[in-house]
Amino acid sequence: MKSVNSLNYSYSIPSKLTTTPIVVLVVTTLYILLAKISFLITIDPGTVSPIYLGAGFAFASVLILGRKALIGIWIGSFYSNIFLDIEIANLHKEHLLSLLPIGLFISFGTVIATITGTNIVTRLCKKEHPLSNGQNVLILLILGTISYSTITSLVGVISLTYHGSISAEQFWYTYKTWWLGDSIGIILITPFMLSWFLKDSFNKNNFKFFELTLYGLATILLCLSVFFQHNDLKYLILPLLFWSAYRFGIQITTLSIIIIALFAIITTAQGIGPFNEKNINDSILFLDLFLSVITICSLFLAGISSERKKAEDLIKTSEKNLRENQILLESTLESPKGVSIYSIGRNFEYLCFNSQHSLNMKIMYGIDIYLGMKLQDCITNKGDLGDSMAVLNKVFLGQNITTVRHFEFNNSYWEFRTSPILNQNDEIIGATVISTNISKKIKAEEALKKSEEKYRNIFENIQDVIIQTDPNGIFWNISPSVKDITGYSSEELIGKPTNVLQTDEEEPDAVIKLIQEKFILKDFEKLIKTKSGKIICVSLNAKMIFDKNGSPHHIDTIVQDITQRKKDEKEIAKQNQKLQIQNKELEQFAYITSHDLQEPLITLKCFSELIKADFPKDANENINQYLDFILESSDRMQKLIKGLLDYSRIGSQIEIKDVDSNEIVNDAISILTDNIQKTETQIIIGDLPKIQGYSIELIQLFQNLIENAIKFKKKETPLIINITAKQDEDNWLFAVEDNGIGIEDHNKEKVFIIFKRLNNRDEYSGIGIGLAICKKIVALHGGTIWVESTFGQGTIVYFTLPK
């Protein structure tokens, strides 16, 4: 709760006292109760109370609870001044009506006095707690008390005199009693309430329990001795309170004062004790003065002690903060790796520096620097010294300067940021220099510059056209090569839509719409119209580029002129078609020729055999030899014709299908079973894949390779053939390896030539067409075939087939 006169931000207020009705009820009740207790001390009927506890309660309530407590104070004061001192049973109407003006005047006076007194205390204490220091204690107990008591006593006595409750002769005595009663009430009750409602009041007191117990026993024993036996020892109470004020603070001191006041009031009211006078009211007035003096003195000392402890705590806190700030400053200076930080005074002396700067100076100038050392004694290079001092002189005039320096001894770049240091009066007392190693940044910038130059050179010299457009197809940037293709310069197209290059038949922005849908185009072919109106064909590779928010930012495109390529493709397609027709005709010719040549060859062979059979063996030997030559040539010619016929038939199988390589190899082995067994050949087959191909041709492929290995085996060494396959990117790589006679290096390319024999006919049979057929079969499947061989050790035939 906050109000104009309240210092409630310093107090711990019960949660139930948060609403105005509750506050009014509690304040009214307690005020009436304290007023009733105070009136019990009044000895002479019709006089006022010499100790009015309600005044102190009213004053403290407003300071703690705020102005909402004023209603309860008014009600309590009104009720107390009308009903507490009369018997309600004997009260008649006329008497009640005569008392109402008195109650109203006195209660309004109490409220006005409370507002005035608390306002004075609040403003003079400058919103600080009234017991926080000695000055505030005096403001509360002197100025606050005087202002409150003067108003209440003056209003009250005038009201009683006007009503006739007191005579003119009793005016001054009553006024004095009322004034002292309210004053002692404030002096006793207000500090007690303010100290014990203070937030965290016990957390600040670190006194020892034993000492506090000893002090409590001493207080009780001294009160018993002073007020019941040795009245002359009453002034020992003051040292006791000083002990409390110095050691225990405000809370314990105010509690001690209340205990001592209770002993004093009770004994004085009973007519005993050190303050006993002939008249009981005079005794209590004397007591009031004593209590006022000891309370003000002890609380003043407590305030001074509290202020001193706060000052000591503040000094300790400041020292702790200073140490922490010093550690933090040192950590801040040392924490950045590779950053040199130092401060220079107006006389160019070092104020502070970090280890990195010390290391730099050691490396550069061989100097161990220290605080107070001047730059003139550190920097031995006159050029460096002059540059540094020139910069510092400008900074001392209030400028902030950033420079970059290159150090050749380690090829590093450093950025120096120099700024002035200001004191509390905004006077420049020095400069702070923060230098950072920016070698990586500089080198990165140089690399970026070279990269940009490289990109610019490519951009300006590339034959293809590089284009940037916005997401809607408006040209942003175009490489100069666009003029070679379209006839337009870059300047003519930038800012225009891409449809200026579209043909008349094409839908507007068709390509842009496609990019907006798919975000990327690869090798997209389209026709464009040049500046001269010529139609050319181009290939586009385009990609939509997005910003960091995921929104389309621009389109990057590379355009290649493929007009000539398209013409060449058409010409090649035309030549391929023509070549296919010619190949088909050649195959038909070879087939027909080989087929037609067999009939006369068979006739020649048959008649030659008949002649030889009918011709006597003992006849002319030359004739028999001639007949043998004719028969051998006929056999060789028949084999050549059959080979040519087989070669021409390759590819006649139309259907391509999935085949198992293992089954293909086994079928080829079955065909060659007799030859394999006869030569005792061992064939090892690995795990072969399933492929797509022509099964008949593939069987013939492996049959020819196995047969060729058997044909060229070593005579004294058992033949071993190893057939394997493995993946090679998009193909299967097959290998047929043998340990035969091998192939000489200069013959490796000749083995695939049709009818090309590399060995003696008498030693190795064959017509030289087997590997030529293998090459044609592999080419038919889109693969390649080659051999690797070491002469005398064996041969590996490799071929690839697509997956």
Side-chain angles (χ1 to χ4, degrees):
M1 295 180 291
K2 291 188 178 183
S3 65
V4 176
N5 296 333
S6 175
L7 296 175
N8 67 305
Y9 58 84
S10 301
Y11 302 103
S12 177
I13 301 172
S15 58
K16 294 183 179 180
L17 294 178
T18 55
T19 59
T20 301
I22 300 297
V23 170
V24 171
L25 178 61
V26 171
V27 171
T28 300
T29 304
L30 292 177
Y31 187 95
I32 295 172
L33 179 61
L34 291 174
K36 181 65 176 176
I37 295 173
S38 299
F39 286 144
L40 293 176
I41 303 174
T42 302
I43 305 301
D44 298 331
T47 59
V48 297
S49 173
I51 299 177
Y52 193 64
L53 303 178
F57 174 76
F59 206 92
S61 297
V62 174
L63 288 175
I64 295 172
L65 300 174
R67 290 190 175 180
K68 64 175 66 178
L70 291 172
I71 301 175
I73 294 170
W74 183 85
I75 296 173
S77 176
F78 179 77
Y79 181 87
S80 301
N81 285 284
I82 293 180
F83 299 107
L84 286 183
D85 198 35
I86 61 175
E87 296 181 6
I88 299 178
N90 300 325
L91 183 64
H92 50 81
K93 184 177 180 181
E94 290 78 7
H95 189 201
L96 178 61
L97 291 175
S98 66
L99 292 176
L100 285 177
I102 298 176
L104 288 173
F105 278 115
I106 294 175
S107 59
F108 277 119
T110 302
V111 171
I112 294 171
T114 304
I115 294 173
T116 303
T118 54
N119 265 329
I120 290 173
V121 171
T122 302
R123 293 186 180 182
L124 293 180
C125 290
K126 299 178 181 178
K127 298 293 183 179
E128 294 181 356
H129 192 269
L131 302 177
S132 61
N133 55 60
Q135 179 179 334
N136 288 356
V137 168
L138 295 180
I139 291 172
L140 172 66
L141 298 183
I142 296 178
L143 297 182
T145 299
I146 291 174
S147 58
Y148 179 92
S149 301
T150 301
I151 295 174
T152 54
S153 58
L154 187 60
V155 172
V157 173
I158 291 174
S159 299
L160 292 177
T161 304
Y162 179 78
H163 181 263
S165 298
I166 62 173
S167 62
E169 291 78 11
Q170 296 175 311
F171 183 91
W172 173 245
Y173 182 83
T174 305
Y175 176 82
K176 181 181 66 173
T177 304
W178 194 314
W179 193 93
L180 287 175
D182 285 355
S183 296
I184 196 62
I186 293 175
I187 291 172
L188 292 177
I189 300 299
T190 301
F192 176 78
M193 291 181 63
L194 293 181
S195 62
W196 287 91
F197 273 94
L198 187 64
K199 282 185 179 179
D200 304 324
S201 57
F202 291 103
N203 294 342
K204 299 177 182 178
N205 295 324
N206 298 319
F207 43 77
K208 295 181 180 179
F209 178 77
F210 175 76
E211 184 181 3
L212 180 61
T213 304
L214 181 62
Y215 173 77
L217 291 174
T219 302
I220 298 299
L221 292 176
L222 183 60
C223 288
L224 292 174
S225 176
V226 169
F227 295 109
F228 291 100
Q229 294 180 359
H230 307 287
N231 299 149
D232 295 336
L233 298 179
K234 58 181 177 291
Y235 293 106
L236 291 178
I237 293 175
L238 196 58
L240 184 72
L241 292 175
F242 286 172
W243 177 13
S244 173
Y246 181 76
R247 293 292 296 163
F248 307 123
I250 295 289
Q251 289 82 16
I252 301 300
T253 303
T254 56
L255 179 61
S256 301
I257 291 171
I258 293 297
I259 294 172
I260 293 170
L262 287 175
F263 273 97
I265 292 170
I266 293 173
T267 55
T268 301
Q270 296 298 322
I272 60 175
F275 308 107
N276 185 30
E277 298 291 336
K278 295 180 180 180
N279 185 292
I280 187 60
N281 279 349
D282 292 339
S283 299
I284 292 178
L285 291 176
F286 181 37
L287 172 64
D288 288 348
L289 293 175
F290 178 79
L291 292 178
S292 298
V293 171
I294 65 170
T295 300
I296 293 174
C297 291
S298 59
L299 292 182
F300 178 71
L301 179 61
I304 293 175
S305 177
S306 175
E307 187 176 15
R308 181 180 62 81
K309 289 181 180 179
K310 287 181 181 179
E312 291 176 353
D313 293 341
L314 183 61
I315 292 173
K316 291 180 181 179
T317 303
S318 299
E319 291 176 349
K320 180 181 178 182
N321 292 337
L322 183 61
R323 288 194 298 270
E324 292 177 351
N325 289 337
Q326 186 175 1
I327 294 172
L328 181 61
L329 178 60
E330 292 176 356
S331 301
T332 302
L333 290 175
E334 298 294 341
S335 59
K337 301 301 181 182
V339 177
S340 168
I341 304 175
Y342 60 98
S343 296
I344 299 294
R346 291 299 297 262
N347 295 320
F348 304 103
E349 76 280 7
Y350 275 108
L351 301 179
C352 68
F353 54 84
N354 68 352
S355 58
Q356 181 64 50
H357 178 68
S358 178
L359 177 63
N360 290 351
M361 295 297 288
K362 181 69 175 178
I363 294 173
M364 293 173 61
Y365 304 110
I367 301 293
D368 291 320
I369 61 174
Y370 54 85
L371 295 180
M373 190 176 188
K374 293 189 176 182
L375 287 182
Q376 296 90 325
D377 301 327
C378 304
I379 303 177
T380 55
N381 187 297
K382 292 183 178 181
D384 293 347
L385 178 62
D387 293 341
S388 299
M389 295 183 70
V391 171
L392 289 171
N393 284 326
K394 292 180 180 179
V395 173
F396 290 156
L397 297 176
Q399 298 183 37
N400 290 283
I401 297 178
T402 299
T403 57
V404 176
R405 294 182 60 190
H406 175 244
F407 296 96
E408 295 182 355
F409 73 93
N410 63 352
N411 192 29
S412 63
Y413 292 87
W414 288 76
E415 179 186 68
F416 291 82
R417 287 173 290 170
T418 310
S419 56
I421 302 174
L422 304 178
N423 62 12
Q424 295 179 347
N425 299 322
D426 291 335
E427 297 172 344
I428 297 176
I429 60 174
T432 296
V433 183
I434 301 176
S435 57
T436 308
N437 189 338
I438 59 171
S439 301
K440 292 183 179 179
K441 178 183 176 183
I442 294 295
K443 292 176 182 178
E445 289 176 352
E446 291 177 352
L448 179 61
K449 185 178 180 180
K450 291 180 180 179
S451 176
E452 289 177 348
E453 290 177 356
K454 182 179 179 181
Y455 171 78
R456 178 55 58 183
N457 290 332
I458 294 173
F459 183 78
E460 292 178 351
N461 297 297
I462 191 172
Q463 293 182 351
D464 295 341
V465 182
I466 300 175
I467 297 175
Q468 274 191 349
T469 69
D470 72 358
N472 297 317
I474 303 300
F475 287 114
W476 279 3
N477 200 7
I478 311 174
S479 62
S481 56
V482 69
K483 190 169 185 178
D484 298 332
I485 295 178
T486 66
Y488 291 100
S489 66
S490 302
E491 293 76 13
E492 289 179 293
L493 292 176
I494 290 176
K496 295 182 180 179
T498 55
N499 57 25
V500 299
L501 299 177
Q502 289 184 175
T503 60
D504 298 335
E505 295 80 12
E506 186 179 358
E507 180 186 352
D509 298 326
V511 176
I512 296 298
K513 292 177 181 177
L514 196 59
I515 297 173
Q516 291 172 347
E517 292 176 2
K518 297 184 176 181
F519 304 134
I520 190 168
L521 290 182
K522 289 187 176 181
D523 299 325
F524 183 81
E525 297 179 1
K526 74 180 298 291
L527 299 175
I528 65 172
K529 184 168 64 173
T530 65
K531 187 176 182 180
S532 63
K534 181 181 177 182
I535 304 299
I536 64 173
C537 186
V538 297
S539 174
L540 303 179
N541 285 277
K543 185 177 182 180
M544 179 73 76
I545 306 300
F546 298 87
D547 60 20
K548 62 181 180 180
N549 298 320
S551 301
H553 183 262
H554 70 274
I555 301 172
D556 286 338
T557 307
I558 297 179
V559 181
Q560 183 181 19
D561 184 2
I562 60 171
T563 305
Q564 186 60 44
R565 191 182 79 185
K566 298 301 289 185
K567 291 180 180 179
D568 294 342
E569 287 177 355
K570 289 182 180 179
E571 183 63 27
I572 292 172
K574 182 179 179 181
Q575 294 296 330
N576 283 338
Q577 186 178 9
K578 183 178 179 181
L579 184 61
Q580 288 176 0
I581 294 173
Q582 290 176 347
N583 287 338
K584 192 69 175 178
E585 292 175 348
L586 285 173
E587 289 176 359
Q588 291 176 354
F589 173 77
Y591 178 79
I592 293 170
T593 301
S594 61
H595 184 272
D596 291 346
L597 285 174
Q598 287 190 76
E599 185 177 348
L601 184 61
I602 293 172
T603 302
L604 176 63
K605 183 178 179 182
C606 289
F607 278 103
S608 297
E609 289 175 348
L610 289 174
I611 292 172
K612 184 176 181 180
D614 294 339
F615 197 82
K617 293 183 179 179
D618 54 355
N620 192 331
E621 291 182 0
N622 291 332
I623 294 175
N624 285 321
Q625 187 178 6
Y626 296 154
L627 289 173
D628 289 337
F629 286 157
I630 292 172
L631 288 173
E632 288 177 5
S633 297
S634 297
D635 286 338
R636 189 165 63 255
M637 185 63 180
Q638 191 174 15
K639 290 179 181 179
L640 288 172
I641 292 172
K642 184 178 181 302
L644 182 62
L645 185 61
D646 291 339
Y647 188 81
S648 65
R649 285 175 177 172
I650 294 174
S652 60
Q653 182 181 354
I654 299 175
E655 183 180 1
I656 187 170
K657 59 183 179 180
D658 293 333
V659 294
D660 189 341
S661 299
N662 296 282
E663 296 179 0
I664 294 294
V665 173
N666 289 328
D667 289 344
I669 292 174
S670 298
I671 296 172
L672 300 172
T673 300
D674 293 339
N675 199 4
I676 292 171
Q677 293 177 351
K678 181 179 178 180
T679 57
E680 297 181 350
T681 298
Q682 180 182 358
I683 301 177
I684 302 173
I685 305 173
D687 187 13
L688 304 181
K690 291 183 178 180
I691 59 175
Q692 285 190 331
Y694 302 99
S695 57
I696 295 175
E697 278 79 357
L698 290 174
I699 293 172
Q700 188 174 5
L701 169 65
F702 283 101
Q703 179 184 340
N704 286 3
L705 292 175
I706 295 172
E707 193 173 21
N708 198 67
I710 293 174
K711 186 185 299 181
F712 296 102
K713 66 184 288 295
K714 294 177 183 178
K715 292 182 179 180
E716 304 299 330
T717 304
L719 178 63
I720 300 175
I721 301 174
N722 195 356
I723 303 174
T724 59
K726 65 178 181 179
Q727 295 187 57
D728 182 23
E729 296 182 355
D730 295 332
N731 299 311
W732 288 105
L733 176 62
F734 288 82
V736 180
E737 181 180 4
D738 64 61
N739 59 343
I741 63 173
I743 303 171
E744 295 180 281
D745 290 340
H746 65 276
N747 289 329
K748 288 181 181 179
E749 297 298 328
K750 299 177 182 178
V751 296
F752 296 108
I753 301 175
I754 189 170
F755 300 134
K756 183 68 177 180
R757 291 183 51 81
L758 304 178
N759 302 95
N760 191 316
R761 182 183 298 114
D762 295 334
E763 190 174 358
Y764 296 99
S765 62
I767 59 174
I769 198 171
L771 289 181
I773 291 175
C774 291
K775 183 176 181 180
K776 187 173 182 181
I777 293 173
V778 171
L780 177 67
H781 287 82
T784 55
I785 187 170
W786 68 96
V787 296
E788 292 182 3
S789 179
T790 302
F791 187 69
Q793 296 184 12
T795 301
I796 304 176
V797 179
Y798 290 104
F799 62 91
T800 61
L801 295 178
K803 290 184 180 179

